[in-house]
Amino acid sequence: NSKVIQTPRYLVKGQGQKAKMRCIPEKGHPVVFWYQQNKNNEFKFLINFQNQEVLQQIDMTEKRFSAECPSNSPCSLEIQSSEAGDSALYLCASSLPQQDTQYFGPGTRLLVL
Amino acid sequence: GDQVEQSPSALSLHEGTSSALRCNFTTTTRSVQWFRQNSRGSLINLFYLASGTKENGRLKSAFDSKELYSTLHIRDAQLEDSGTYFCAAEAITGGYKVVFGSGTRLLVSP
């Protein structure tokens, strides 16, 4: 179904540590999204890119996360200083630039102790 | 407020029976996607609709952009249909991001 690759699948960090996860979008998909799904199954949009440019991001992402999608390298999302409330499943998705299906990776499950 | 209201939150079906899930949108929606999330967290694409209806095997989905709702019908439910189903709506404000419903946890039993 989806060819989006996310690594690592699981990540355990202590509070205050950096937490970095990566995503390789489907080949030919210039639009990349990051979402956070919490333990209550609620999804939160974090940021999206078209090629290397940020399209939209929420305040939390701007203040506490570092994200990029360099050309010819995986996209990455990094929490600068992890908090317990950041424990969640982080999902990367990619799509074509027009109205189109978003294809999701398997996610990185982050646990902040 | 929440853009997507999904119902029911939980559903139990016996094998062979049918039912429907629904998402109501509080703002104009450009498109809707339906996913099934398995126990490992993977989101499996079921449908993408910008309008009208689509059918795939025992699943059928409809999107009414004027009346602001979408439905997912499951016919002849099978054990492997169990999982959590989400709709996700793309607003017309652009940027391509979607807003997810709260999910429907479906359990199909023998």
Side-chain angles (χ1 to χ4, degrees), chain B residues 16-31:
Chain B
T17 60
S18 303
S19 189
L21 287 55
R22 183 178 175 110
C23 282
N24 292 326
F25 311 116
T26 56
T27 59
T28 305
T29 297
R30 190 196 302 268
S31 65

Side-chain angles (χ1 to χ4, degrees), chain B residues 60-107:
Chain B
K60 182 176 179 180
S61 183
F63 174 41
D64 190 326
S65 57
K66 289 183 181 174
E67 298 298 324
L68 301 180
Y69 74 89
S70 177
T71 56
L72 176 69
H73 292 260
I74 302 172
R75 175 174 55 83
D76 185 23
Q78 301 297 305
L79 298 178
E80 60 264 29
D81 295 332
S82 295
T84 303
Y85 289 75
F86 292 95
C87 65
E90 182 190 358
I92 62 167
T93 51
Y96 313 124
K97 70 174 185 179
V98 296
V99 175
F100 282 80
S102 52
T104 297
R105 195 183 302 265
L106 173 64
L107 176 63

Side-chain angles (χ1 to χ4, degrees), chain A residues 1-2 9-10 31 33 35 37 40-41 43 45 48 50 55-56 58 89 91 95-106 109, chain B residues 30-31 33 35 37 39-50 84 86 90 93-103 105:
Chain A
N1 192 272
S2 168
R9 293 296 306 275
Y10 300 93
V31 184
F33 306 79
Y35 295 90
Q37 186 183 22
N40 296 321
N41 274 346
F43 287 82
F45 166 82
N48 60 352
Q50 182 156 352
L55 290 174
Q56 295 172 301
I58 62 172
L89 179 66
L91 290 157
S95 76
L96 294 170
Q98 313 304 322
Q99 275 182 268
D100 203 7
T101 303
Q102 292 186 23
Y103 292 92
F104 281 78
R109 197 170 292 275
Chain B
R30 190 196 302 268
S31 65
Q33 286 186 237
F35 301 90
Q37 190 170 37
S39 57
R40 289 170 296 171
S42 294
L43 280 167
I44 300 160
N45 289 79
L46 300 177
F47 295 103
Y48 172 91
L49 298 103
T84 303
F86 292 95
E90 182 190 358
T93 51
Y96 313 124
K97 70 174 185 179
V98 296
V99 175
F100 282 80
S102 52
R105 195 183 302 265

Side-chain angles (χ1 to χ4, degrees), chain A residues 12-19 79-83:
Chain A
V12 181
K13 293 290 179 182
Q15 293 192 55
Q17 290 186 317
K18 290 188 177 185
I79 306 173
Q80 297 300 304
S81 179
S82 301
E83 300 172 358

